[in-house]
Amino acid sequence: MPTTVSVEHIEMTPGIRGGKPRIVGTRIAVEDVMLMHLKIGYSLLEIATKYDLILAAVYDAMAYYYDHRQEIDIQIAEDDAFVDEFRRQNPGRLQAKIKELKGESEN
């Protein structure tokens, strides 16, 4: 029998964090909590304490992530690809200078 997960602490609002699911009353997205917990290694209690959040809200964020994992992972990958492409097309001054210097030294 499927279990319904409570996500009373999660909301989506157009114009705030691009409409991404986030903890109610904050700009902390579900993906932020997931990245801090699964990628950086913070415990859920550490995240709640660090950002002055209700622990249940942090657990709801992780429950929401697991319920929508494929969708959120795809969005993260698309965001990362966009940033990579933007950086490639718009190198910072340091990268442009390095390319320029490499071009001069190869001639």
Side-chain angles (χ1 to χ4, degrees), residues 36-90:
M36 285 186 277
H37 181 58
L38 298 179
K39 303 292 182 184
I40 298 173
Y42 291 154
S43 72
L44 298 180
L45 180 58
E46 286 175 309
I47 295 167
T49 302
K50 181 176 179 90
Y51 295 98
D52 196 26
L53 300 169
I54 298 167
L55 187 56
V58 177
Y59 273 89
D60 269 1
M62 288 305 299
Y64 188 94
Y65 169 71
Y66 284 119
D67 285 345
H68 301 89
R69 185 176 190 162
Q70 183 176 10
E71 168 189 334
I72 292 171
D73 287 349
I74 288 169
Q75 184 62 52
I76 290 170
E78 289 173 356
D79 290 349
D80 289 347
F82 174 82
V83 169
D84 291 343
E85 181 62 19
F86 182 85
R87 285 182 178 158
R88 191 184 66 71
Q89 291 183 11
N90 301 285

Side-chain angles (χ1 to χ4, degrees), residues 6 8-9 17 22-24 35 43 47 61 75 90 93 103:
S6 167
E8 69 184 77
H9 298 288
R17 292 296 306 265
R22 62 188 171 77
I23 295 176
V24 171
L35 291 169
S43 72
I47 295 167
Q75 184 62 52
N90 301 285
R93 289 187 294 181

